[in-house]
Amino acid sequence: MGSSRAAPAAGAPATDDPIDAPTDDRVDERALARRLQARDASALAELYRAHRQRAFGLAYRVLGDAPAAEDAVQSAFLALWQQADRIAPEGSLGALVMTIAHRRAVDLARRRAAERVHTHRTSAAFDGPTADVAEAIPDEEAQAAFARVLDDPEGTRRRVAAALDRLPVEQRMVVELAYFEGLTHRAIAERLGLPGGTVKSRLRLGLGHLRDALDTGAPETGAPDTGVTRDGRGEEERA
Amino acid sequence: MTCDEIDDLLAAYALDAVDDDERAAIEDHLATCEHPERHEVDSLRAAAIGLATLAEEREPSVALEARLLASVERGSETRPRPGVGYIAGRPRRDLRWAGALVAGVVLMVAGFVAGALLFSGDDGSGEALVQVVQKDAMRMRAEAVAGESPVTVTLAGLGRLPEDVGYQVWAVRDDGWVTVGICNTDEDGWWEGDFDFALRPDDALAITIEPREGSPTPTGEVVLRSTGWERTAQ
Ligand SMILES: [Zn+2]
């Protein structure tokens, strides 16, 4: 569907199959997606059971407490249910769940932080899957692009961990503050006392390195130079 | 934002490290601009999912699955049965418990609330309107045909109230709040039924806790409130 994806993601099991032949898992996922689109609630239960631990683990890592993390996870699955018609056939439900769950967790973390500032309330006010649900689901092309990242989660995990270890510490720090603490680039700049441009540049370089390590499909569209294949250090300090 | 400014933010966007305004600007821009680095963002988002594998897997509580499925089944699958506008309160012995629930509801409310979500239909009168509002475990679903009675309402997760009060549903209009009806939930926090009221396409909905006979204008805390109906082509 307009996707120019051609190369297998690193970590996809080596087989003799043509690259585009769906694996059994993928066939099952497509059936599951179709059932979700047909409003079959048992499909949602299956999806939940398959991905709940990973999604909850991620939300917990971002939010640091179970009730809030459960809210984020519930909201993510509900969003998928309500927007099931946006699920791309060549995407991965697992990757989609993780993308949405992360977004919901981050939203919740920020709302909670804002509330701490303004009131003494400690309960995490959660507005449920509301107005911005639609944007929570990435478009088809994006779904296709990250379809295979979780085909081999263990392999991906090893590669990401190794790549993170190799990052210059200042890049690693901003990437982790962004993804696992739910901070905006502006909040990171504030916390670290850095100019905004420096943070954006470090995020770019750091995530670019991780992307290269995962080989998650740098597009063939004239391979824009993001600066990430060069050593990032000297360049970013000018920002 | 210019193309360059967008490019500068793509990694932050992929990591969910932009604010809402930036996110909207980036998504708008990527949807309309053919600038050369627009495909970059997909691979960066894929890398972000790679980061997700570093979080240790955890088992959520068993209740979460039940909550999720209940909200789905009650909210969007079950066709509400017609009911009456008020369900009488339960025996006295439950009142303490019900009162505690009310307190819980009110506490959760402060930051409130929610937005309209599902909608369908073409325009003009006779338009089918569906609205879902959720906050924490509390959920209201309303369904109506524009300009026609009744409004079918489903409430879930709202604690049952003592006999002398009820949940009053309001149509929120520019010139004031108009009563749609009043009801009370059962011991599962659940109510479904029809109100004899004709909703307009631009009505938002709200619920307050009021004396059982209803109030002419809202006096209690706002338990749930939607931001209004939305419609899309189906
Ligand atoms: Zn552009």
Side-chain angles (χ1 to χ4, degrees), chain B residues 198-217:
Chain B
L199 277 173
R200 299 176 190 164
D202 54 352
D203 284 335
L205 290 176
I207 295 181
T208 60
I209 297 174
E210 303 291 343
R212 193 209 144 128
E213 61 277 13
S215 302
T217 54

Side-chain angles (χ1 to χ4, degrees), chain B residues 30-113:
Chain B
L30 294 179
T32 52
C33 177
E34 289 293 328
H35 84 261
E37 297 190 26
R38 60 187 286 274
H39 292 286
E40 165 104 349
V41 69
D42 291 340
S43 67
L44 291 176
R45 292 177 94 177
I49 294 171
L51 278 170
T53 61
L54 297 180
E56 209 169 305
E57 294 187 18
R58 292 179 82 96
E59 186 65 60
S61 75
V62 179
L64 181 56
E65 178 173 348
R67 254 200 292 154
L68 173 68
L69 296 178
S71 65
V72 162
E73 276 158 20
R74 287 183 165 174
S76 55
E77 286 307 284
T78 310
R79 183 74 199 173
R81 299 184 299 271
V84 293
Y86 194 89
I87 291 181
R90 304 288 163 135
R92 281 269 158 203
R93 62 179 169 81
D94 285 341
L95 284 186
R96 197 168 45 109
W97 174 79
L101 269 177
V102 175
V105 166
V106 171
L107 268 185
M108 284 189 289
V109 166
F112 83 86
V113 160

Side-chain angles (χ1 to χ4, degrees), chain B residues 144-156:
Chain B
V145 174
E148 290 179 31
S149 174
V151 185
T152 300
V153 171
T154 310
L155 303 178

